[in-house]
Structures are given as C-alpha cells and as structure tokens.
Amino acid sequence: MSVYTFARSIVKGLLKPVYRMDVKGRENVPVEGGVLLCCNHIDNLDPPIVGITAPRDIHFMAKEELFNAPVLGKLLPHLNAFSVKRGMSDREALRKGLKVLKEGNVLGLFPEGTRSKTGEVGKGLAGAGFFALRSDAAVVPCAIIGPYKPFRKLKVVYGKPIPMDEIRAKKVNAEETTDIIMNEIKKLIEQNR
C-alpha cells in the first residue's frame, strides 16, 4: 500500500464523520489518461476533500511554504504533491505539472492560487490555462460548496470535461482559457447550491 493510499484512508476516516459529504459527478473524471482537475478554493481542507472524493489519485501543486513545515514538508512529496513558488513564473513547477499530465495522471489545481475570503469564486491565474493548452489532458471543473461546518452537508461536484478541442482550435491564450475554466466552476456552484 502506498503512502498516498494509506493517508487517504486515514483522512477519509477523520473527515467523513465530521462533514456530511454529498459527492456528485465522479463519473465525469476519465478513468485513464491525463486529467487537469481545477477546483475553487474556500478552505485549507479543500485538497484533502478533493483527494478523498476523487475517483483517482491526484498530484497537487502546493505552495512552496508548505514544504518548509517540519512534518508536513517531509510528508507532502509522498502524497504526490510538488511545490510551486507563488507570485512568479515557476518554470520547474510548470515542467513537473506537464510531466504529470503527459504520464497520464491527474493534476489537481486551485487556479485562484489562494483561498477565497468571501467564498465567491475569484479570478484564476494563467497557470491553469497554460496546462490546459499545453497538454492533451481532459480538463475537469470541480466545485466545493460549503460551508465547512461540522455535521453540515458539504457538496463536492465534478463537472463534465470542458471541450478543449474547440478552445484550442480558437487559439485563445492561457489567461482566457483560465477564465473559461473558472466560469465552468462558477456554473457548477450556481447549479448545485
């Protein structure tokens, strides 16, 4: 059993009794091939919630500061996470992300880059669009609909893959592609509130 699988079962055991998770659309995540999974970001628990509800193992891009934490920093690489320097173009993180997708794995991103203080979906960073345009991965929007309150329902919705062939054919840039992805996340929230 991998560290990821073991940690996932522990986290599931801890979080499932606390949050009544209503998960929809897991079948929208392709069972094989590269997948770019893009989700809104409302709480520090978002990565573990997506990690335990997604049907496949996820490789998360996480802020560099987390890798400097004493215990967490040592554990994160074993949980399929790799670091990204925020606020700048991190070429190494971009290369790692593309490699994850090209190897047929799932790359999990929170395109806003930081948690939303209001709960509303913010502007996404161009990195999501970069990965969507530079790979052949399926792009799956995901929405976490809170609030994170013990024993209250927490919804996690996986949307249908975005038709990237049409977007790639239009030659839109990374920023515009990210906007399309964020709009799909907003739609999931509106339809499932």
Side-chain angles (χ1 to χ4, degrees):
M1 180 187 289
S2 71
V3 174
Y4 184 97
T5 305
F6 177 72
R8 181 179 169 151
S9 63
I10 297 287
V11 171
K12 198 177 222 176
L14 292 171
L15 294 181
K16 262 200 147 186
V18 179
Y19 301 106
R20 291 181 25 234
M21 286 177 239
D22 178 15
V23 183
K24 294 181 180 171
R26 285 168 47 101
E27 70 281 359
N28 290 324
V29 179
V31 293
E32 56 186 36
V35 175
L36 178 62
L37 184 63
C38 296
C39 190
N40 62 319
H41 200 4
I42 57 172
D43 194 276
N44 283 330
L45 288 175
D46 293 342
I49 290 292
V50 173
I52 65 172
T53 60
R56 292 175 60 186
D57 291 1
I58 301 174
H59 295 255
F60 281 109
M61 186 181 273
K63 63 183 179 180
E64 187 180 43
E65 297 84 0
L66 294 176
F67 290 82
N68 298 326
V71 177
L72 188 61
K74 299 270 187 270
L75 191 58
L76 283 172
H78 299 287
L79 300 175
N80 298 343
F82 61 96
S83 72
V84 62
K85 295 181 179 97
R86 295 194 303 171
M88 63 181 74
S89 178
D90 184 344
R91 289 177 192 268
E92 183 58 28
L94 294 175
R95 272 194 291 275
K96 280 184 186 170
L98 284 175
K99 185 173 185 274
V100 166
L101 295 171
K102 285 182 178 157
E103 289 175 350
N105 295 306
V106 181
L107 176 62
L109 286 185
F110 297 94
E112 294 157 287
T114 189
R115 291 180 316 280
S116 167
K117 290 176 177 48
T118 64
E120 296 301 311
V121 176
K123 176 124 177 89
L125 302 172
F130 170 85
F131 289 121
L133 293 172
R134 295 290 293 270
S135 72
D136 292 327
V139 179
V140 176
C142 174
I144 298 176
I145 305 164
Y148 275 91
K149 295 232 169 106
F151 314 112
R152 295 266 306 272
K153 191 181 279 187
L154 181 70
K155 289 185 183 178
V156 184
V157 185
Y158 295 91
K160 291 189 184 311
I162 298 167
M164 285 306 300
D165 289 343
E166 296 169 23
I167 295 164
R168 290 176 185 126
K170 290 179 187 171
K171 304 257 190 257
V172 297
N173 66 28
E175 197 169 299
E176 292 167 321
T177 303
T178 297
D179 290 343
I180 292 167
I181 295 168
M182 298 311 291
N183 282 332
E184 290 300 316
I185 295 170
K186 284 179 195 169
K187 280 186 207 167
L188 287 178
I189 294 170
E190 287 160 11
Q191 292 161 2
N192 292 279
R193 268 214 167 112

